[in-house]
C-alpha cells in the first residue's frame, strides 16, 4: 500500500523509540503515508496501524486529533493561512481574503480543477513573519504580500 | 546570548556553534566529571525560570528527578510552540540548534537520563528537518550517543514532529503525543518526575530553557542572575508582534523597560497610539497600553500589572483595534484547540466564543457580560490542565479593561472603532527590513 521508500522512512522513525514502543512512530508514519498518498483514507490508516502493531482505532484517534492530517481528499496544493490575532494585526485576514478572491473559493473549499484547497490555520508559531501561510503542510511562506501571493500561486499552478 | 553572533540561516551548523564557544560547557563537565549536584546548584544560583510560560525555577525542577531510580529516565524538550504571539523557539532551533542539543546533554548528565526527545511544533517542518541534521552532526562528533566524548556517559537524543495540536504544549499531553496517542493531558499527580514518558521519570523543559543552560555553565550562575534582576535571572527572548514597525525576536535582560523593547521593535506602526498589550502570549491577561508603558519586562513587574510574562510573547495593539473582535479571534482559537477531555473546557470554550461572537456581530444581550463572567468562573480551576484557565483569562481581562467597548457593542449593535479604521489598521504589513 505504501512505497518501499515510505516504509523505509517509517522504519527510521520506529528506530527512534524503545523497541516495545512502536506506536510512538504513529504520528510520523501517518505523516509519511499522507505525503505519499495526498490524504488518509481509512484503509491507509488501518495499514499504518497494522504496520506498527497497534489497534486501527488508536491510529484513527491520532489521525483525527491532529489537524494537519487530511481525512478527506484535498487539492494538489493545500494552502493554510494563519488568521489568529497576531497575524490578523499584520494583515493575515486580508491575505486570506486576497487568496479567496484570486482562487474563487472560500475556506475548506477546493478549486474545480482540483489544484488548490484553502484552509484557515491556527497559530503556526511564526507571528513575526505575518502574513504567514503553509503550502502542503511542510513549506512555510513568510511575509506574504499580495505580490508574493501572486508569485506563489503562479509557481504552484505550474506544478 | 542564545542568538548572539548568529547570522540567520548561515551559521547554524556544528562548526559555527563551536567557533562561538559551543560545546565547551559539555566538554568540561564530562572531562572534569563534575558532580550532578554541582550543576543543579549552579542552575539554582542562576534563578533561571522556565521559559515556556510557567516560569518555574529550572534548578528546582531538575532536583525533583529521582536520580537514584535504577530504570530508564527521560528528558523531553518542549518545542511545540503554538501559543499565539510566540515565535522564539523556532528561531532558536533554526539559528542555533546546537545550543538546545548541548543544553539537553548537560541536563541528561545532571539527571542521569539516557534518552531524550525534542517535540517540535507541527507547522515548522523545515525547522524539524534542520534539527534532524544538527542531531546527525552532533552524533557524528560524539557529542550525543553512546560514550559521549569517550566517557561512560551516554545520551540518545531524537526529534519528534508534532502535527497540529496546540494542547501538546501542555507537558503531559506532549508525553501522550510522543507515545503515539491523542494529546490529552494527564491528571496530576503523579507528576512527570515520577511518572512521565512510558511511565518513567521524565523532566520536560522549554527550548529556550535548555538553550540557556550551556551559557549558565560557562559564565556561572551568579553572572547569569546579574544579567537580569533579583528573582528574574538572565536574558530572555521576547517575540514582539502586532502593530509595531519591526516585529521580531529581541533578546534582552529581564527587567528591561517595556518602552525600550517597543523602541527596539521600531515603535508603533504609523506613529499610532498604543491601546493594549498582551505581554506573555495569548493566554496572559491583556494590559492597557498606558499601564504597560510603566512596566519592566520581567516576571515580577508584569505580575504586578495583573498579567504574566508567560512565554515572552508581546502582542501590541494600537487604537485601530476593536477589542471585541480581538477577543473573538482568541476565543475561537481556544474553542478550536480544546482537547475535549474536560466538560467545563470543552463546553465552556464554545460558550465563550459564541457569546463574544454574537456581541461582535451586533446580537449581544444585556446580560452577556455577566454570562461571560459566569462561564469563566465555572471553567477556571475545574479542568485537568491549564487550557481552560488560558481561555478564560483573556475574556476576563478584556472585559475588565475594555468593558465599555463591549457595552457599546451590545447597546449600539456596532463597533466603537469605525470599521474603516479597523480595516486600515489591519492591512498587510511587512517591515521593509524583511
Amino acid at each position: 500500500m505504501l512505497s518501499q521508500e515510505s516504509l523505509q522512512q517509517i522504519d527510521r522513525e520506529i528506530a527512534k523509540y524503545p523497541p516495545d514502543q512502536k506506536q510512538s512512530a504513529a504520528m510520523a508514519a501517518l505523516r509519511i503515508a499522507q505525503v505519499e498518498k495526498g490524504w488518509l483514507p481509512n484503509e491507509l490508516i488501518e495499514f499504518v496501524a497494522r504496520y506498527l502493531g497497534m489497534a486501527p482505532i488508536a491510529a484513527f484517534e491520532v489521525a483525527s486529533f491532529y489537524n494537519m492530517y487530511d481525512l478527506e481528499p484535498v487539492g494538489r496544493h493545500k494552502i493554510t493561512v494563519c488568521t489568529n490575532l497576531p497575524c490578523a494585526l499584520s494583515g493575515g485576514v486580508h491575505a486570506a481574503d486576497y487568496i479567496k478572491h484570486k482562487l474563487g473559493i472560500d475556506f475548506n473549499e477546493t478549486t474545480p480543477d482540483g489544484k488548490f484547497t484553502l484552509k484557515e490555520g491556527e497559530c503556526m508559531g511564526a507571528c513575526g513573519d505575518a502574513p504567514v501561510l503553509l503550502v502542503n503542510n511542510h513549506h512555510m511562506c513568510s511575509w506574504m504580500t499580495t505580490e508574493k501571493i501572486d508569485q506563489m500561486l503562479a509557481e504552484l499552478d505550474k506544478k | 546570548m542564545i542568538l548572539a553572533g548568529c547570522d540567520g540561516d548561515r551559521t547554524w551548523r556544528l562548526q559555527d556553534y563551536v567557533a562561538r564557544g559551543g560545546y565547551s560547557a559539555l566538554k568540561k563537565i564530562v572531562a572534569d566529571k563534575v558532580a550532578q549536584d554541582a550543576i543543579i546548584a549552579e542552575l539554582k544560583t542562576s534563578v533561571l525560570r522556565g521559559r515556556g510560560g510557567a516560569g518555574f525555577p529550572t534548578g528546582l525542577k531538575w532536583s525533583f528527578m529521582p536520580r537514584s531510580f535504577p530504570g530508564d529516565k527521560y528528558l523531553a524538550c518542549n518545542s511545540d510552540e503554538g501559543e499565539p504571539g510566540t515565535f522564539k523557539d523556532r528561531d532558536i532551533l533554526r539559528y542555533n540548534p546546537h545550543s538546545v542539543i548541548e543544553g539537553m546533554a548537560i541536563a541528561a548528565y545532571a539527571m542521569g537520563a539516557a534518552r531524550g526527545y525534542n517535540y517540535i511544533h507541527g507547522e515548522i517542518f523545515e525547522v524539524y528537518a534542520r534539527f534532524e541534521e544538527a542531531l546527525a552532526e552532533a552524533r557524528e562528533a560524539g557529542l550525543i550517543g553512546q560514550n559521549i566524548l569517550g566517557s561512560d556517559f551516554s545520551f540518545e537524543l531524537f526529534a519528534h514532529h508534532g502535527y497540529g495540536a496546540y494542547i501538546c504544549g501542555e507537558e503531559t499531553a506532549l508525553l501522550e503525543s510522543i507515545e503515539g496517542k491523542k494529546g490529552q493531558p494527564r491528571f496530576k499527580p503523579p507528576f512527570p518526575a515520577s511518572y512521565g514518558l512510558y511511565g518513567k521519570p521524565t523532566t520536560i523543559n522549554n527550548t529556550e530553557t535548555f538553550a540557556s543552560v550551556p551559557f549558565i555553565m560557562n559564565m556561572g550562575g551568579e553572572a547569569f542572575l546579574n544579567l537580569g534582576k533579583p528573582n528574574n535571572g538572565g536574558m530572555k527572548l521576547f517575540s514582539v508582534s502586532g502593530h509595531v514597525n519591526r516585529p521580531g525576536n529581541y533578546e534582552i535582560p529581564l527587567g528591561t523597560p517595556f518602552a525600550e523593547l517597543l523602541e527596539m521593535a521600531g515603535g508603533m506602526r504609523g506613529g499610532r497610539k498604543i491601546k493594549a498589550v498582551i505581554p506573555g502570549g495569548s493566554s496572559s491577561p491583556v494590559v492597557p497600553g498606558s499601564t504597560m508603558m510603566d512596566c519592566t519586562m520581567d516576571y515580577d513587574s508584569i505580575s504586578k500589572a495583573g498579567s504574566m510574562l508567560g512565554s515572552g510573547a508581546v502582542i501590541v495593539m494600537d487604537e485601530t483595534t476593536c477589542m471585541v473582535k480581538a477577543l473573538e479571534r482568541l476565543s475561537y482559537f481556544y474553542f478550536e484547540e480544546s482537547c475535549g477531555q474536560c466538560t467545563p473546557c470543552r463546553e465552556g470554550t464554545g460558550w465563550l466564543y459564541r457569546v463574544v461572537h454574537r456581541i461582535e456581530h451586533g446580537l449581544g444581550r444585556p446580560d452577556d457580560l455577566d454570562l461571560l463572567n459566569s462561564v469563566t468562573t465555572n471553567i477556571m480551576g475545574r479542568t485537568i490542565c491549564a487550557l481552560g484557565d488560558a481561555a478564560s483569562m483573556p475574556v476576563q481581562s478584556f472585559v475588565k479593561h475594555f468593558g465599555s467597548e463591549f457595552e457599546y457593542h451590545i447597546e449600539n449593535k456596532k463597533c466603537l472603532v469605525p470599521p474603516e479604521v479597523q480595516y486600515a489598521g489591519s492591512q498587510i504589513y511587512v517591515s521593509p527590513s524583511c
Side-chain angles (χ1 to χ4, degrees):
Chain A
M1 197 157 205
L2 284 175
S3 68
Q4 216 42 44
E5 198 195 331
S6 290
L7 294 177
Q8 280 169 3
Q9 281 181 31
I10 293 174
D11 290 343
R12 275 201 294 277
E13 293 292 332
I14 293 172
K16 289 180 178 176
Y17 307 95
D20 57 343
Q21 300 291 347
K22 274 169 92 171
Q23 181 174 341
S24 282
M27 291 181 69
L30 289 168
R31 160 174 47 88
I32 293 161
Q34 178 167 292
V35 168
E36 183 181 324
K37 300 290 185 188
W39 66 291
L40 295 173
N42 282 346
E43 308 82 71
L44 187 55
I45 297 172
E46 251 185 90
F47 173 84
V48 167
R50 261 187 250 110
Y51 195 79
L52 297 174
M54 61 195 281
I57 185 65
F60 186 80
E61 277 189 352
V62 171
S64 58
F65 187 85
Y66 299 91
N67 63 29
M68 288 163 68
Y69 296 113
D70 292 307
L71 302 185
E72 284 168 14
V74 292
R76 197 182 314 155
H77 306 295
K78 183 175 89 167
I79 299 173
T80 314
V81 189
C82 179
T83 59
N84 208 310
L85 179 61
C87 273
L89 297 172
S90 288
V93 176
H94 290 275
D97 285 345
Y98 184 75
I99 299 172
K100 285 180 192 171
H101 174 74
K102 276 213 69 155
L103 296 178
I105 53 172
D106 208 338
F107 285 134
N108 301 316
E109 289 180 359
T110 300
T111 51
D113 61 3
K115 271 193 179 158
F116 295 99
T117 296
L118 186 61
K119 294 264 179 188
E120 183 172 33
E122 288 302 340
C123 188
M124 299 169 183
C127 322
D129 293 11
V132 64
L133 57 85
L134 281 182
V135 175
N136 292 330
N137 293 327
H138 292 175
H139 176 52
M140 183 174 276
C141 301
S142 301
W143 304 303
M144 296 307 282
T145 56
T146 50
E147 295 79 33
K148 286 178 79 175
I149 290 170
D150 288 342
Q151 196 186 337
M152 175 196 78
L153 290 177
E155 276 166 26
L156 290 177
D157 196 48
K158 284 183 225 146
K159 287 184 194 168
Chain B
M1 194 178 77
I2 298 171
L3 293 182
C6 295
D7 182 16
D9 286 324
R10 286 177 286 276
T11 56
W12 62 270
R13 292 202 170 269
L14 176 61
Q15 59 187 47
D16 306 309
Y17 183 59
V18 170
R20 293 194 293 268
Y23 286 110
S24 53
L26 177 66
K27 284 175 184 160
K28 185 170 185 304
I29 286 167
V30 171
D32 297 356
K33 294 192 163 49
V34 173
Q36 292 174 321
D37 283 328
I39 294 171
I40 293 175
E42 204 64 49
L43 269 186
K44 284 183 176 168
T45 305
S46 76
V47 197
L48 172 66
R49 293 170 63 169
R51 300 300 196 224
F56 192 80
T58 306
L60 190 59
K61 191 184 235 185
W62 287 16
S63 71
F64 293 154
M65 196 73 159
R67 271 174 285 152
S68 52
F69 179 83
D72 296 332
K73 291 186 285 291
Y74 291 96
L75 273 191
C77 176
N78 187 344
S79 302
D80 191 32
E81 182 179 52
E83 166 96 353
T86 316
F87 50 93
K88 64 190 178 66
D89 298 336
R90 169 174 174 245
D91 275 4
I92 294 172
L93 291 173
R94 61 183 178 154
Y95 298 147
N96 206 2
H98 284 285
S99 65
V100 180
I101 298 173
E102 186 183 8
M104 289 190 76
I106 294 169
Y109 178 97
M111 289 179 275
R115 202 179 255 266
Y117 293 96
N118 184 10
Y119 191 104
I120 299 177
H121 192 50
E123 283 82 349
I124 51 172
F125 181 80
E126 288 144 322
V127 177
Y128 161 79
R130 175 171 295 178
F131 191 77
E132 288 269 57
E133 271 193 73
L135 280 177
E137 284 184 326
R139 208 168 280 134
E140 178 82 6
L143 296 161
I144 52 169
Q146 291 300 304
N147 302 103
I148 290 173
L149 299 163
S151 71
D152 56 3
F153 164 53
S154 299
F155 174 58
E156 298 287 356
L157 178 57
F158 304 95
H160 183 101
H161 185 222
Y163 227 54
Y166 169 67
I167 190 61
C168 291
E170 198 280 343
E171 59 179 12
T172 58
L174 181 147
L175 298 178
E176 288 284 301
S177 187
I178 296 179
E179 292 182 5
K181 301 172 188 162
K182 288 188 288 187
Q184 291 190 319
R186 297 174 183 171
F187 198 79
K188 291 189 272 191
F191 290 94
S194 51
Y195 189 92
L197 185 61
Y198 309 126
K200 305 293 184 187
T202 303
T203 293
I204 303 130
N205 283 123
N206 169 256
T207 318
E208 188 184 355
T209 310
F210 278 127
S212 302
V213 169
F215 297 93
I216 293 170
M217 293 300 129
N218 281 330
M219 73 172 73
E222 189 76 36
F224 181 84
L225 172 62
N226 292 335
L227 284 174
K229 63 182 237 189
N231 199 35
N232 297 268
M235 307 281 280
K236 168 95 188 77
L237 274 158
F238 288 96
S239 308
V240 184
S241 65
H243 287 139
V244 295
N245 280 314
R246 279 196 303 273
N249 282 311
Y250 297 89
E251 189 174 25
I252 55 173
L254 283 170
T256 302
F258 169 73
E260 274 181 38
L261 177 61
L262 184 59
E263 204 171 309
M264 284 177 222
M268 297 301 294
R269 193 179 302 163
R272 292 193 295 259
K273 197 168 158 250
I274 189 168
K275 182 173 192 174
V277 176
I278 301 176
S282 63
S283 307
S284 66
V286 68
V287 177
S290 54
T291 311
M292 204 59 208
M293 293 305 283
D294 297 329
C295 287
T296 56
M297 297 308 292
D298 57 79
Y299 298 94
D300 297 340
S301 172
I302 302 294
S303 161
K304 245 186 239 161
S307 189
M308 303 183 310
L309 191 73
S311 56
V314 182
I315 306 170
V316 180
M317 290 172 273
D318 69 22
E319 57 198 342
T320 68
T321 314
C322 167
M323 299 311 278
V324 182
K325 191 169 189 170
L327 179 62
E328 182 201 14
R329 188 59 187 86
L330 289 181
S331 292
Y332 178 76
F333 170 73
Y334 291 104
F335 167 53
E336 171 74 24
E337 297 294 337
S338 171
C339 82
Q341 187 174 211
C342 310
T343 309
C345 174
R346 182 185 65 238
E347 302 302 322
T349 53
W351 272 94
L352 293 177
Y353 167 64
R354 286 189 297 271
V355 173
V356 177
H357 179 83
R358 77 182 180 213
I359 297 174
E360 166 65 15
H361 289 83
L363 300 167
R365 302 167 195 174
D367 55 355
D368 271 354
L369 296 186
D370 293 335
L371 179 59
L372 285 176
N373 191 38
S374 151
V375 174
T376 56
T377 48
N378 277 302
I379 296 174
M380 291 183 83
R382 297 179 185 192
T383 54
I384 288 174
C385 85
L387 191 141
D389 289 20
S392 302
M393 283 187 289
V395 174
Q396 292 182 340
S397 60
F398 271 71
V399 172
K400 178 179 165 197
H401 294 297
F402 301 95
S404 59
E405 266 189 60
F406 286 79
E407 285 159 7
Y408 185 92
H409 259 274
I410 294 170
E411 281 166 26
N412 300 286
K413 317 288 181 203
K414 61 177 184 184
C415 292
L416 187 57
V417 181
E420 61 277 13
V421 173
Q422 289 182 48
Y423 187 83
S426 62
Q427 283 295 324
I428 295 177
Y429 173 82
V430 172
S431 163
S433 58
C434 295

